[in-house]
Amino acid sequence: MILSISGVVLLGIIVFIFFRKDGLKGSHAVICALFGFYLASTAIAPSIKAGGASLAGLLGGIKI
């Protein structure tokens, strides 16, 4: 659950930066959010979640 919340916060910050700096329109951000909600209810959602968890594990295992 912590990973999901962190991912949502990170993606929210990225969208906010795009909105403020790169000219992302509010309507585009709303459409992207709605697309994410609808995508979460499809059959591909578990694969996307597994891929995100795998990427998080990969990034978490990097030692600097």
Side-chain angles (χ1 to χ4, degrees), residues 13-61:
I13 290 170
I14 291 170
V15 168
F16 179 75
I17 290 170
F18 283 160
F19 181 71
R20 298 290 290 168
K21 301 289 181 187
D22 291 335
L24 178 71
K25 293 185 169 87
S27 61
H28 296 154
V30 169
I31 290 170
C32 289
L34 289 174
F35 176 69
F37 283 120
Y38 285 119
L39 188 62
S41 65
T42 65
I44 197 169
S47 299
I48 294 171
K49 187 174 181 178
S54 176
L55 180 63
L58 178 71
L59 294 175

